Amino acid sequence: MRDWRWLLLVLAVLLALLQYRFWFGPGNSGEVMMLEAQVANQKRDNEGLQQRNDALAAEVKDLKEGEAAIEERARSELGMIKPGEKFYRVVEDAPVARPAAAQAGTQDAQAQEVVP
């Protein structure tokens, strides 16, 4: 009977030590959860970078194989046109600034109109 008590005590102490190491020792559950969160964030970042790499690879392939992409870039970034084409530039009118004396006269005329 006595041997069972010692064995039970040794097992309880061993369980306590293992629990201590699990919760507070190196590689504890808190560190594991933190590392899992870091892995999830890194995977998300990697997916975004992989999509960016795929888009760049498709653009490189298009530039190597097709003339349409090269032509589009030349037109948009360099402002180039084909021989025989006509180039039209549309410029919006800028607001015309009136002289200060003319503005003062206009404000007086508006003030006179308001008065009944």
PDB file of all heavy atoms in Angstrom, residues 74-93:
ATOM      1  N   ALA A  74       4.275  52.788 -75.777  1.00  0.00           N
ATOM      2  CA  ALA A  74       4.890  53.898 -76.500  1.00  0.00           C
ATOM      3  C   ALA A  74       3.920  55.068 -76.606  1.00  0.00           C
ATOM      4  O   ALA A  74       4.312  56.227 -76.458  1.00  0.00           O
ATOM      5  CB  ALA A  74       5.319  53.443 -77.887  1.00  0.00           C
ATOM      6  N   ARG A  75       2.653  54.776 -76.838  1.00  0.00           N
ATOM      7  CA  ARG A  75       1.666  55.848 -76.956  1.00  0.00           C
ATOM      8  C   ARG A  75       1.398  56.517 -75.610  1.00  0.00           C
ATOM      9  O   ARG A  75       1.373  57.741 -75.508  1.00  0.00           O
ATOM     10  CB  ARG A  75       0.349  55.294 -77.506  1.00  0.00           C
ATOM     11  CG  ARG A  75       0.404  54.952 -78.968  1.00  0.00           C
ATOM     12  CD  ARG A  75      -0.922  54.346 -79.414  1.00  0.00           C
ATOM     13  NE  ARG A  75      -0.900  53.974 -80.798  1.00  0.00           N
ATOM     14  CZ  ARG A  75      -1.215  54.793 -81.798  1.00  0.00           C
ATOM     15  NH1 ARG A  75      -1.577  56.018 -81.548  1.00  0.00           N
ATOM     16  NH2 ARG A  75      -1.164  54.373 -83.042  1.00  0.00           N
ATOM     17  N   SER A  76       1.182  55.726 -74.567  1.00  0.00           N
ATOM     18  CA  SER A  76       0.777  56.310 -73.292  1.00  0.00           C
ATOM     19  C   SER A  76       1.940  56.939 -72.526  1.00  0.00           C
ATOM     20  O   SER A  76       1.798  58.025 -71.973  1.00  0.00           O
ATOM     21  CB  SER A  76       0.091  55.249 -72.426  1.00  0.00           C
ATOM     22  OG  SER A  76       1.019  54.247 -72.077  1.00  0.00           O
ATOM     23  N   GLU A  77       3.077  56.269 -72.474  1.00  0.00           N
ATOM     24  CA  GLU A  77       4.177  56.767 -71.656  1.00  0.00           C
ATOM     25  C   GLU A  77       5.101  57.723 -72.405  1.00  0.00           C
ATOM     26  O   GLU A  77       5.645  58.643 -71.814  1.00  0.00           O
ATOM     27  CB  GLU A  77       4.977  55.594 -71.096  1.00  0.00           C
ATOM     28  CG  GLU A  77       4.195  54.752 -70.111  1.00  0.00           C
ATOM     29  CD  GLU A  77       4.968  53.558 -69.599  1.00  0.00           C
ATOM     30  OE1 GLU A  77       6.182  53.464 -69.894  1.00  0.00           O
ATOM     31  OE2 GLU A  77       4.363  52.718 -68.914  1.00  0.00           O
ATOM     32  N   LEU A  78       5.282  57.487 -73.697  1.00  0.00           N
ATOM     33  CA  LEU A  78       6.227  58.305 -74.454  1.00  0.00           C
ATOM     34  C   LEU A  78       5.543  59.315 -75.366  1.00  0.00           C
ATOM     35  O   LEU A  78       6.203  60.166 -75.954  1.00  0.00           O
ATOM     36  CB  LEU A  78       7.146  57.400 -75.281  1.00  0.00           C
ATOM     37  CG  LEU A  78       7.956  56.381 -74.473  1.00  0.00           C
ATOM     38  CD1 LEU A  78       8.733  55.475 -75.408  1.00  0.00           C
ATOM     39  CD2 LEU A  78       8.889  57.082 -73.510  1.00  0.00           C
ATOM     40  N   GLY A  79       4.213  59.196 -75.554  1.00  0.00           N
ATOM     41  CA  GLY A  79       3.484  60.139 -76.397  1.00  0.00           C
ATOM     42  C   GLY A  79       3.798  59.974 -77.873  1.00  0.00           C
ATOM     43  O   GLY A  79       3.708  60.939 -78.632  1.00  0.00           O
ATOM     44  N   MET A  80       4.135  58.779 -78.299  1.00  0.00           N
ATOM     45  CA  MET A  80       4.484  58.552 -79.700  1.00  0.00           C
ATOM     46  C   MET A  80       3.225  58.311 -80.533  1.00  0.00           C
ATOM     47  O   MET A  80       2.207  57.859 -80.021  1.00  0.00           O
ATOM     48  CB  MET A  80       5.430  57.353 -79.802  1.00  0.00           C
ATOM     49  CG  MET A  80       6.737  57.548 -79.057  1.00  0.00           C
ATOM     50  SD  MET A  80       7.820  56.132 -79.175  1.00  0.00           S
ATOM     51  CE  MET A  80       8.566  56.456 -80.742  1.00  0.00           C
ATOM     52  N   ILE A  81       3.316  58.632 -81.837  1.00  0.00           N
ATOM     53  CA  ILE A  81       2.230  58.371 -82.769  1.00  0.00           C
ATOM     54  C   ILE A  81       2.801  57.672 -83.987  1.00  0.00           C
ATOM     55  O   ILE A  81       4.002  57.718 -84.247  1.00  0.00           O
ATOM     56  CB  ILE A  81       1.517  59.676 -83.184  1.00  0.00           C
ATOM     57  CG1 ILE A  81       2.502  60.652 -83.838  1.00  0.00           C
ATOM     58  CG2 ILE A  81       0.838  60.320 -81.999  1.00  0.00           C
ATOM     59  CD1 ILE A  81       1.840  61.874 -84.416  1.00  0.00           C
ATOM     60  N   LYS A  82       1.920  56.999 -84.736  1.00  0.00           N
ATOM     61  CA  LYS A  82       2.358  56.293 -85.943  1.00  0.00           C
ATOM     62  C   LYS A  82       2.540  57.291 -87.080  1.00  0.00           C
ATOM     63  O   LYS A  82       1.916  58.355 -87.094  1.00  0.00           O
ATOM     64  CB  LYS A  82       1.303  55.272 -86.361  1.00  0.00           C
ATOM     65  CG  LYS A  82       1.234  54.062 -85.494  1.00  0.00           C
ATOM     66  CD  LYS A  82       0.203  53.105 -86.067  1.00  0.00           C
ATOM     67  CE  LYS A  82       0.096  51.865 -85.233  1.00  0.00           C
ATOM     68  NZ  LYS A  82      -0.916  50.944 -85.771  1.00  0.00           N
ATOM     69  N   PRO A  83       3.374  56.959 -88.045  1.00  0.00           N
ATOM     70  CA  PRO A  83       3.499  57.828 -89.215  1.00  0.00           C
ATOM     71  C   PRO A  83       2.150  57.918 -89.933  1.00  0.00           C
ATOM     72  O   PRO A  83       1.455  56.925 -90.109  1.00  0.00           O
ATOM     73  CB  PRO A  83       4.539  57.129 -90.093  1.00  0.00           C
ATOM     74  CG  PRO A  83       5.284  56.224 -89.167  1.00  0.00           C
ATOM     75  CD  PRO A  83       4.323  55.851 -88.092  1.00  0.00           C
ATOM     76  N   GLY A  84       1.776  59.124 -90.325  1.00  0.00           N
ATOM     77  CA  GLY A  84       0.525  59.330 -91.042  1.00  0.00           C
ATOM     78  C   GLY A  84      -0.654  59.635 -90.117  1.00  0.00           C
ATOM     79  O   GLY A  84      -1.710  60.024 -90.591  1.00  0.00           O
ATOM     80  N   GLU A  85      -0.498  59.452 -88.842  1.00  0.00           N
ATOM     81  CA  GLU A  85      -1.576  59.779 -87.913  1.00  0.00           C
ATOM     82  C   GLU A  85      -1.541  61.268 -87.601  1.00  0.00           C
ATOM     83  O   GLU A  85      -0.501  61.906 -87.672  1.00  0.00           O
ATOM     84  CB  GLU A  85      -1.435  59.009 -86.605  1.00  0.00           C
ATOM     85  CG  GLU A  85      -1.797  57.571 -86.679  1.00  0.00           C
ATOM     86  CD  GLU A  85      -1.724  56.898 -85.321  1.00  0.00           C
ATOM     87  OE1 GLU A  85      -1.004  57.369 -84.428  1.00  0.00           O
ATOM     88  OE2 GLU A  85      -2.399  55.877 -85.161  1.00  0.00           O
ATOM     89  N   LYS A  86      -2.702  61.800 -87.255  1.00  0.00           N
ATOM     90  CA  LYS A  86      -2.769  63.196 -86.846  1.00  0.00           C
ATOM     91  C   LYS A  86      -2.948  63.234 -85.341  1.00  0.00           C
ATOM     92  O   LYS A  86      -3.715  62.466 -84.772  1.00  0.00           O
ATOM     93  CB  LYS A  86      -3.940  63.905 -87.520  1.00  0.00           C
ATOM     94  CG  LYS A  86      -3.740  64.045 -89.000  1.00  0.00           C
ATOM     95  CD  LYS A  86      -4.848  64.824 -89.621  1.00  0.00           C
ATOM     96  CE  LYS A  86      -4.596  64.947 -91.118  1.00  0.00           C
ATOM     97  NZ  LYS A  86      -5.643  65.711 -91.769  1.00  0.00           N
ATOM     98  N   PHE A  87      -2.241  64.142 -84.718  1.00  0.00           N
ATOM     99  CA  PHE A  87      -2.281  64.261 -83.270  1.00  0.00           C
ATOM    100  C   PHE A  87      -3.089  65.494 -82.916  1.00  0.00           C
ATOM    101  O   PHE A  87      -2.824  66.584 -83.385  1.00  0.00           O
ATOM    102  CB  PHE A  87      -0.855  64.384 -82.721  1.00  0.00           C
ATOM    103  CG  PHE A  87      -0.801  64.571 -81.245  1.00  0.00           C
ATOM    104  CD1 PHE A  87      -1.028  63.511 -80.384  1.00  0.00           C
ATOM    105  CD2 PHE A  87      -0.539  65.818 -80.691  1.00  0.00           C
ATOM    106  CE1 PHE A  87      -0.968  63.681 -79.013  1.00  0.00           C
ATOM    107  CE2 PHE A  87      -0.477  65.991 -79.333  1.00  0.00           C
ATOM    108  CZ  PHE A  87      -0.700  64.922 -78.482  1.00  0.00           C
ATOM    109  N   TYR A  88      -4.109  65.315 -82.094  1.00  0.00           N
ATOM    110  CA  TYR A  88      -4.931  66.422 -81.626  1.00  0.00           C
ATOM    111  C   TYR A  88      -4.766  66.541 -80.117  1.00  0.00           C
ATOM    112  O   TYR A  88      -4.916  65.571 -79.403  1.00  0.00           O
ATOM    113  CB  TYR A  88      -6.416  66.180 -81.944  1.00  0.00           C
ATOM    114  CG  TYR A  88      -6.708  66.160 -83.428  1.00  0.00           C
ATOM    115  CD1 TYR A  88      -6.810  64.963 -84.124  1.00  0.00           C
ATOM    116  CD2 TYR A  88      -6.889  67.345 -84.120  1.00  0.00           C
ATOM    117  CE1 TYR A  88      -7.081  64.937 -85.473  1.00  0.00           C
ATOM    118  CE2 TYR A  88      -7.162  67.333 -85.480  1.00  0.00           C
ATOM    119  CZ  TYR A  88      -7.258  66.127 -86.152  1.00  0.00           C
ATOM    120  OH  TYR A  88      -7.521  66.120 -87.483  1.00  0.00           O
ATOM    121  N   ARG A  89      -4.481  67.722 -79.689  1.00  0.00           N
ATOM    122  CA  ARG A  89      -4.376  67.975 -78.251  1.00  0.00           C
ATOM    123  C   ARG A  89      -5.576  68.818 -77.840  1.00  0.00           C
ATOM    124  O   ARG A  89      -5.832  69.876 -78.405  1.00  0.00           O
ATOM    125  CB  ARG A  89      -3.096  68.721 -77.920  1.00  0.00           C
ATOM    126  CG  ARG A  89      -3.017  69.095 -76.436  1.00  0.00           C
ATOM    127  CD  ARG A  89      -1.774  69.830 -76.102  1.00  0.00           C
ATOM    128  NE  ARG A  89      -0.700  68.830 -76.008  1.00  0.00           N
ATOM    129  CZ  ARG A  89       0.565  69.126 -75.808  1.00  0.00           C
ATOM    130  NH1 ARG A  89       0.938  70.383 -75.724  1.00  0.00           N
ATOM    131  NH2 ARG A  89       1.462  68.187 -75.723  1.00  0.00           N
ATOM    132  N   VAL A  90      -6.307  68.350 -76.872  1.00  0.00           N
ATOM    133  CA  VAL A  90      -7.475  69.071 -76.376  1.00  0.00           C
ATOM    134  C   VAL A  90      -7.068  69.760 -75.088  1.00  0.00           C
ATOM    135  O   VAL A  90      -6.671  69.119 -74.116  1.00  0.00           O
ATOM    136  CB  VAL A  90      -8.652  68.093 -76.116  1.00  0.00           C
ATOM    137  CG1 VAL A  90      -9.845  68.838 -75.558  1.00  0.00           C
ATOM    138  CG2 VAL A  90      -8.994  67.344 -77.390  1.00  0.00           C
ATOM    139  N   VAL A  91      -7.172  71.070 -75.104  1.00  0.00           N
ATOM    140  CA  VAL A  91      -6.799  71.870 -73.945  1.00  0.00           C
ATOM    141  C   VAL A  91      -8.050  72.554 -73.434  1.00  0.00           C
ATOM    142  O   VAL A  91      -8.755  73.229 -74.174  1.00  0.00           O
ATOM    143  CB  VAL A  91      -5.721  72.920 -74.311  1.00  0.00           C
ATOM    144  CG1 VAL A  91      -5.343  73.749 -73.096  1.00  0.00           C
ATOM    145  CG2 VAL A  91      -4.508  72.237 -74.908  1.00  0.00           C
ATOM    146  N   GLU A  92      -8.341  72.377 -72.163  1.00  0.00           N
ATOM    147  CA  GLU A  92      -9.502  73.025 -71.571  1.00  0.00           C
ATOM    148  C   GLU A  92      -9.175  74.481 -71.285  1.00  0.00           C
ATOM    149  O   GLU A  92      -8.043  74.819 -70.938  1.00  0.00           O
ATOM    150  CB  GLU A  92      -9.905  72.305 -70.297  1.00  0.00           C
ATOM    151  CG  GLU A  92     -10.348  70.875 -70.543  1.00  0.00           C
ATOM    152  CD  GLU A  92     -10.771  70.200 -69.256  1.00  0.00           C
ATOM    153  OE1 GLU A  92     -11.079  70.907 -68.270  1.00  0.00           O
ATOM    154  OE2 GLU A  92     -10.805  68.965 -69.254  1.00  0.00           O
ATOM    155  N   ASP A  93     -10.195  75.326 -71.428  1.00  0.00           N
ATOM    156  CA  ASP A  93      -9.994  76.749 -71.169  1.00  0.00           C
ATOM    157  C   ASP A  93      -9.755  76.978 -69.689  1.00  0.00           C
ATOM    158  O   ASP A  93     -10.472  76.455 -68.842  1.00  0.00           O
ATOM    159  CB  ASP A  93     -11.225  77.550 -71.614  1.00  0.00           C
ATOM    160  CG  ASP A  93     -11.375  77.525 -73.131  1.00  0.00           C
ATOM    161  OD1 ASP A  93     -10.348  77.363 -73.810  1.00  0.00           O
ATOM    162  OD2 ASP A  93     -12.517  77.684 -73.616  1.00  0.00           O
TER     163      ASP A  93
END
